[in-house]
């Protein structure tokens, strides 16, 4: 009777493939720098708006209008930041999602299940927490989507500040969560925050997107063609009544993200490499500068924890995000018979889930859309987003610091390259050539140690043979 074979156990949050690890490292490096700039922009906005002598200048700059009125684009500075600059951010998010789907870990349905389910639970549970808080407190349900998003740049900025050597698998998990988050956030904006639609403008945007797709398929890659076309598509999308950032996501998803023969990088990866610094270093920080400017006072902070709308946002970010992502990850592992990587513990997943409660950029955007007719409540919800994100960051800092010694060891193991071939040793354990190189290195070191030992032994013998030297007994008392 043939022995029954059991399927190998799949590892949850196991080591990334080398190409995926390299891509994630490059992407997160840019996002981390952008996150630090984001923090600086947010702090600058808070200082600018809360210093009495500067408050009026902030309002004047934020509400200053410019742009062609005949095209329906005479917008305020804050409006340009929210609808214009964030389109660049969502364009990069669209490319990231496309790359994950066709060339990254999400191309494998089994591997994709974990981050997708975790992200969906990480959006559904905060919305549920917000809804329950407002149903019991008789508040408005209009802000249910505010605590559903994760801000990857802000989260990575926190990691950079606290110096946590988070393993690449957990960083990739956080990045993928944020990418899926961004996709569903933009769908929420398109479906739930579009009141009136100008079908002529929407049709024009659709035609523009079709032309964009056709040019890509024909191999036309000149920026002087695509940038003007992208601006036309964005303007039509804005005038259609659908949020203009949808145009950015749509164009990002159209780019080809798998390299062909003879290509070092696909067009999508190349464009993302060029645009990501613009998104992380300029677009998102400027949006934060003109969106995070809320008046902070003792009374305002008290309202954050007493009003149902603002309390729902805070609890959604802190409790909902953590419970949703951790619960979704655990349930996926439980029902797919997968096991957590032996290098990690469930406490690590819980800490990352807490870190995902930092919902800054997209949460601020949705807050502006959800309460567009109530300026006071909009500012209060923004304050709640800031407070919830800050508390989530503090909780995550404590949890990650507890495990920091373990993380440093894992990162050191991931980076070790004893044979100096540019590839971490941990990825070469099944390569005979690697072991031959290491054997040669060890033999060389052993030969050097033998040579040094022989020199020392010769020195001792020479010293012993010298009359009156150490070890000679001349018969005289000491």
């Amino acid at each position: 009777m043939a022995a029954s074979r059991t399927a190998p156990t799949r590892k949850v949050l196991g080591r990334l493939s080398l190409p995926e690890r390299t891509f994630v490292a490059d992407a997160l490096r840019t996002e981390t720098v952008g996150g630090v700039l984001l923090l600086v922009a947010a702090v600058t906005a808070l200082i600018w708006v809360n210093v009495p002598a500067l408050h009026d200048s902030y309002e004047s700059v934020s509400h200053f209008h410019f742009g062609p009125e005949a095209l329906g684009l005479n917008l305020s500075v804050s409006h340009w930041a929210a609808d214009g600059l964030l389109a660049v951010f969502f364009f990069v998010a669209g490319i990231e999602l496309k790359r994950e789907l066709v060339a990254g870990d999400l191309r494998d349905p089994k591997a994709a299940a974990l981050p997708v389910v975790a992200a969906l639970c990480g959006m559904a549970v905060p919305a549920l927490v917000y809804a329950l808080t407002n149903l019991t407190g008789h508040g408005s349900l209009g802000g249910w989507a505010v605590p559903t998003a994760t801000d990857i740049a802000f989260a990575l900025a926190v990691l950079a500040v606290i110096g946590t050597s988070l393993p690449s698998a957990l960083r990739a998990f956080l990045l993928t969560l944020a990418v899926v988050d961004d996709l569903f956030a933009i769908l929420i904006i398109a479906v739930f925050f579009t009141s009136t639609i100008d079908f002529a403008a929407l049709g024009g945007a659709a035609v523009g997107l079709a032309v964009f797709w056709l040019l890509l398929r024909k191999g036309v890659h000149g920026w002087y063609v695509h940038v003007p076309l992208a601006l036309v598509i964005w303007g039509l999308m804005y005038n259609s009544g659908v949020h203009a950032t949808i145009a950015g996501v749509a164009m990002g998803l159209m780019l080809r993200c798998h390299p062909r023969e003879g290509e070092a990088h696909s067009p999508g990866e190349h464009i993302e490499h060029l645009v990501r610094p613009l998104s992380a270093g300029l677009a998102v920080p400027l949006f934060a500068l003109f969106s995070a400017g809320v008046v902070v006072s003792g009374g305002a902070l008290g309202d954050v924890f007493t009003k149902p709308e603002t309390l729902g946002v805070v609890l959604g970010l802190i409790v909902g995000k953590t419970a949703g992502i951790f619960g979704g990850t655990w349930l996926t592992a439980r029902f797919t018979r997968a096991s957590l990587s032996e290098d990690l513990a469930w406490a690590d997943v819980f800490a990352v889930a807490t870190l995902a409660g930092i919902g800054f950029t997209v949460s601020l955007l949705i807050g502006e859309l959800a309460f567009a007719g109530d300026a006071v409540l909009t500012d209060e919800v923004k304050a709640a987003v800031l407070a919830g994100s800050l508390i989530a960051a503090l909780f995550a800092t404590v949890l990650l610091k507890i495990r920091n010694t373990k993380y440093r060891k894992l990162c050191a193991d991931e980076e070790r390259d004893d044979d100096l071939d540019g590839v971490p040793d941990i990825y070469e354990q099944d390569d005979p050539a690697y072991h031959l190189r290491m054997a040669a290195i060890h033999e060389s070191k052993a030969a050097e140690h033998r040579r040094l030992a022989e020199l020392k032994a010769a020195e001792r013998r020479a010293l012993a043979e010298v009359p009156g030297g150490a070890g000679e007994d001349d018969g005289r008392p000491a």
Side-chain angles (χ1 to χ4, degrees):
M1 180 177 177
S4 60
R5 294 183 179 180
T6 57
T9 303
R10 188 169 58 85
K11 294 295 182 183
V12 173
L13 301 179
R15 188 184 308 126
L16 301 177
S17 63
L18 184 58
E20 186 69 8
R21 178 182 179 274
T22 302
F23 173 82
V24 168
D26 291 342
L28 294 182
R29 193 176 298 114
T30 304
E31 291 289 359
T32 301
V33 174
V36 174
L37 293 176
L38 178 63
L39 285 174
V40 171
V43 172
T44 301
L46 290 171
I47 294 173
W48 193 357
V49 81
N50 284 281
V51 173
L54 301 175
H55 178 85
D56 290 342
S57 65
Y58 181 88
E59 293 294 326
S60 297
V61 174
S62 181
H63 293 101
F64 178 77
H65 281 64
F66 67 96
E69 190 167 357
L71 299 178
L73 297 175
N74 185 245
L75 311 177
S76 67
V77 170
S78 61
H79 209 160
W80 276 110
D83 281 11
L85 292 177
L86 276 196
V88 179
F89 166 78
F90 279 109
F91 174 69
V92 173
I95 299 176
E96 285 178 342
L97 181 64
K98 179 71 174 288
R99 197 206 70 85
E100 287 291 334
L101 290 172
V102 301
D105 287 348
L106 293 186
R107 71 184 185 278
D108 178 4
K110 291 182 179 179
L114 176 67
V116 170
V117 171
L120 289 175
C121 291
M123 299 184 81
V125 176
L128 182 62
V129 169
Y130 178 93
L132 291 175
T133 303
N134 281 270
L135 286 173
T136 56
H138 307 290
S140 169
L141 294 177
W144 63 271
V146 175
T148 59
T150 293
D151 193 310
I152 183 64
F154 208 148
L156 291 172
V158 171
L159 286 177
V161 171
I162 65 177
T164 300
S165 304
L166 200 64
S168 59
L170 286 177
R171 288 178 179 264
F173 179 58
L174 183 61
L175 177 62
T176 307
L177 278 176
V179 170
V180 178
D181 250 343
D182 290 339
L183 172 68
F184 285 101
I186 204 68
L187 290 177
I188 288 172
I189 290 171
V191 174
F192 295 99
F193 297 103
T194 299
S195 53
T196 59
I197 297 179
D198 184 331
F199 287 99
L202 185 60
V207 171
L209 288 170
V211 172
F212 183 80
W213 180 85
L214 185 61
L215 290 173
L216 292 174
R217 293 301 172 271
K218 294 295 183 181
V220 179
H221 299 304
W223 67 268
Y224 46 84
V225 175
H226 290 290
V227 172
L229 179 58
L231 292 174
V232 170
I233 294 170
W234 176 86
L236 289 168
M237 190 69 76
Y238 175 81
N239 281 288
S240 73
V242 177
H243 202 271
T245 51
I246 302 292
V249 172
M251 286 185 283
L253 289 171
M254 287 182 179
L255 292 172
R256 177 168 60 82
C257 291
H258 58 277
R260 291 174 178 168
E261 187 176 355
E263 289 182 340
H265 301 285
S266 67
E269 290 174 313
H270 176 66
I271 292 173
E272 181 187 16
H273 180 73
L274 294 175
V275 179
R276 183 186 288 276
L278 176 64
S279 169
L282 180 66
V284 174
L286 280 178
F287 168 76
L289 182 64
F290 293 107
S291 292
V294 293
V295 177
V296 178
S297 63
L301 291 176
D303 289 342
V304 165
F305 298 98
T306 54
K307 285 192 174 183
E309 293 87 356
T310 51
L311 181 60
V313 169
V314 172
L315 293 178
L317 289 171
I318 300 170
V319 179
K321 272 289 183 183
T322 305
I325 292 174
F326 180 81
T329 305
W330 186 86
L331 289 172
T332 302
R334 173 69 177 82
F335 288 105
T336 59
R337 299 182 181 276
S339 64
L340 189 67
S341 171
E342 58 272 9
D343 294 329
L344 302 173
W346 283 109
D348 302 315
V349 181
F350 187 86
V352 170
T354 305
L355 189 64
I358 300 174
F360 190 75
T361 304
V362 180
S363 291
L364 289 175
L365 175 62
I366 295 177
E368 290 181 353
L369 298 173
F371 301 105
D374 190 336
V376 174
L377 188 53
T378 297
D379 281 349
E380 290 173 343
V381 167
K382 285 182 179 181
V385 170
L386 294 173
S389 297
L390 178 60
I391 295 171
L394 292 175
F395 280 162
T397 298
V398 173
L399 295 173
L400 292 170
K401 278 293 186 183
I402 292 173
R403 297 276 292 170
N404 211 22
T405 302
K406 175 69 173 177
Y407 295 153
R408 282 198 295 268
K409 181 181 182 302
L410 290 176
C411 283
D413 291 340
E414 287 182 358
E415 297 293 336
R416 183 173 294 114
D417 182 20
D418 290 338
D419 62 341
L420 302 177
D421 67 341
V423 178
D425 296 341
I426 203 166
Y427 289 97
E428 298 184 295
Q429 297 305 307
D430 296 329
D431 183 4
Y434 161 76
H435 293 286
L436 289 175
R437 289 194 299 272
M438 290 306 301
I441 291 171
H442 290 312
E443 179 57 34
S444 175
K445 290 181 178 179
E448 178 64 14
H449 287 307
R450 284 195 295 269
R451 186 183 69 82
L452 293 175
E454 289 171 358
L455 285 175
K456 289 184 177 180
E459 289 175 358
R460 285 196 296 270
R461 286 195 300 270
L463 189 61
E465 292 172 358
V466 175
E472 287 286 323
D473 188 3
D474 57 3
R476 290 178 295 178

